[in-house]
Amino acid sequence: MTLPKTMRAMVTMGHGGMEQMVMRTDWPRPDPGDGEVLVQIGACGLNNTDVNTRTGWYSKAVSAATGSDGYDDVGQNDPSWGGAPIVFPRIQGADACGRIVAVGAGVDPGRIGERIITDNWLRDPGDPLNKDKTGYFGSECDGGFAEYTVMPSANARAVVSDLSDAELATFSCSYSTAEGMLTRAGVTGADTVLVPGASGGVGGALVQLAKRRGARVIAMASETKHAEVATLGPDVILPRMPDNLKSEFTGERISVVADVVGGPNWAALIDVLTRGGRYTCSGAIAGPIVELDLRTLYLRDLTFTGSTVIDPEVMTNLIRYIEAGEIKPALAATYPLEDLHAAQTAFIEKTHTGNIVVIP
C-alpha cells in the first residue's frame, strides 16, 4: 500500500473557540515509531474531553458548564484534564476507529490490516497501573480528527464486528467511561442505578452496561428524548429533573447514582440515595461547582467515587461485550471531518441522543 506524505486533519491551534480548530489539507502524515502503529481513520467520535480541552474547561479558574466559552478565564498551569498544559498545535479526537496500515519497530507486521478502536489511556508500559503516569489519546498526543494517526500498539484494540466504522467509533470514550464508573462503584444485579443525562453518550452507555450487569435502571432525560432512551432498555424513564425528585421514588431503593451531569440539581440526586448508597461521577456537564451538606454524606454512610483513568481490564471487557453483541451503538449523526465545527456545535447543544461521529 502506497501511503501519502500529507493528510487532511482538523488541527487545534490553542485554547479558545471553534476558530481554533483549523482544517488543513497538507498536514504531514505521521510515521509509526518504536512500538507504534499507523492507523487509517474510518471514523472518529466526539466527546466532552475534546470540548473541555479546547476551551480550557479543566482549569480550576473556570466554573461554567461544559461547552461554555470559559476559556477567557483559563489558568496557565491546569487547563487540561491531567493538570499540565498540553502542547499545541494538536490534533484532537479520542474515539478513533480504523485499520492498521503500517507498524513501527517491535510490532508484529501481522497486525497490518486489523480493524481497531482506540483504548484512550496512554499508560507507562513499565508501570501501567500508575494513574499519575497516564496520558490521553488526542490530548497528550495527536488523535483521530485526521485521515491517519499513530498510537502505541497496545492502544490499538483489535475488534471483530459487523458494525460500521461510525458505529464502532461511538464506543471508546463513552462506553469505557461508563464501564469504568460502574466497575469502580461495584454495581451488581442487586442495585438500582439512577442515571441522569441518559440521552448522552456516557448516559446511554451507563443504561446499557448497568442493565448488562442485571441492575434495575432508572433513566432521566428530556421528555422529547424518552422514546429514543427507551430503546436502550431502562426500567423507568423520568423527566430530566422532576419538581420533586424524591417523590418519584416511592417504593424504590436507589443504591447508586451514576452521574456525568452535576450542576445546580446535584444535591437532589444525592438526597435520593439510600443509606449506604454510592455516588460515582465522571463529568459535570451542567457545571462543576455543587453544594454538599456533609451531614448527608456521613449520616447516611454514603460512598463517593470519582472515575477518570479506567483500569486496564475495562477496555478488554468492553471489546468482549461488543463482539458478543451484548451492547449496541447509539449513533446520533455523522458529519464529514471538514464540518467538525458544526458537529461539535450540535454536540454541545445536546439536542441529540447518543453519539456524534465525524468521517474523514
Side-chain angles (χ1 to χ4, degrees):
M1 179 181 182
T2 301
L3 299 172
K5 295 183 182 296
T6 60
M7 64 180 184
R8 296 162 58 252
M10 187 67 78
V11 184
T12 302
M13 306 307 294
H15 293 299
M18 297 283 185
E19 75 282 352
Q20 292 287 3
M21 296 189 297
V22 178
M23 189 68 198
R24 294 288 299 269
T25 60
D26 59 349
W27 201 254
R29 176 190 56 76
D31 288 312
D34 292 355
E36 293 182 334
V37 297
L38 175 67
V39 175
Q40 184 172 15
I41 302 297
C44 188
L46 276 61
N47 64 55
N48 284 304
T49 300
D50 298 324
V51 179
N52 294 340
T53 297
R54 172 178 57 76
T55 63
W57 181 85
Y58 292 114
S59 170
K60 293 294 182 63
V62 177
S63 60
T66 292
S68 300
D69 293 339
Y71 45 84
D72 289 338
D73 301 320
V74 169
Q76 295 303 306
N77 297 319
D78 63 344
S80 74
W81 76 271
I86 69 170
V87 177
F88 294 105
R90 173 67 72 222
I91 298 171
Q92 294 185 278
D95 296 2
C97 171
R99 289 190 182 275
I100 296 174
V101 293
V103 299
V107 180
D108 181 2
R111 294 210 66 187
I112 293 174
E114 279 185 2
R115 196 174 188 212
I116 65 94
I117 61 175
T118 47
D119 180 344
N120 304 121
W121 292 104
L122 308 169
R123 305 177 191 276
D124 183 330
D127 197 7
L129 299 182
N130 189 331
K131 292 179 172 58
D132 289 328
K133 294 182 179 180
T134 56
Y136 195 73
F137 184 70
S139 179
E140 280 64 48
C141 72
D142 284 341
F145 290 153
E147 291 181 300
Y148 295 89
T149 191
V150 295
M151 66 184 73
S153 178
N155 290 83
R157 293 298 194 103
V159 59
V160 178
S161 173
D162 292 331
L163 295 173
S164 69
D165 287 345
E167 289 171 323
L168 284 174
T170 66
F171 286 114
S172 289
C173 178
S174 294
Y175 287 69
S176 66
T177 296
E179 182 70 2
M181 292 168 68
L182 299 175
T183 299
R184 199 152 291 171
V187 171
T188 70
D191 286 308
T192 295
V193 181
L194 176 64
V195 181
S199 63
V202 177
L206 283 165
V207 172
Q208 288 195 62
L209 289 164
K211 287 297 296 181
R212 186 198 163 275
R213 290 169 177 248
R216 179 172 172 79
V217 176
I218 301 175
M220 296 174 64
S222 299
E223 292 185 68
T224 56
K225 300 178 180 179
H226 280 195
E228 293 169 302
V229 172
T231 66
L232 304 175
D235 297 280
V236 178
I237 308 177
L238 297 177
R240 184 163 57 186
M241 184 53 72
D243 291 335
N244 185 349
L245 182 60
K246 207 165 189 178
S247 69
E248 298 286 341
F249 297 120
T250 302
E252 297 279 7
R253 181 181 180 276
I254 307 301
S255 54
V256 177
V257 171
D259 185 29
V260 293
V261 178
N265 296 313
W266 184 85
L269 297 174
I270 301 305
D271 201 39
V272 302
L273 276 168
T274 190
R275 183 177 297 280
R278 293 102 73 200
Y279 171 84
T280 183
C281 177
S282 189
I285 295 168
I289 309 303
V290 297
E291 184 176 287
L292 170 65
D293 185 335
L294 284 172
R295 290 167 296 190
T296 302
L297 173 62
Y298 79 83
L299 290 174
R300 299 248 293 282
D301 297 293
L302 303 181
T303 299
F304 287 8
T305 57
S307 181
T308 294
V309 182
I310 61 174
D311 296 328
E313 65 268 19
V314 167
M315 198 66 192
T316 299
N317 291 337
L318 186 61
I319 296 288
R320 178 164 53 86
Y321 306 158
I322 294 168
E323 293 185 336
E326 295 176 358
I327 53 176
K328 63 183 181 180
L331 179 61
T334 61
Y335 289 75
L337 176 62
E338 56 266 28
D339 290 343
L340 180 57
H341 288 199
Q344 204 167 85
T345 297
F347 178 86
I348 292 168
E349 289 174 347
K350 305 297 183 191
T351 59
H352 63 288
T353 299
N355 298 78
I356 293 176
V357 168
V358 293
I359 297 174

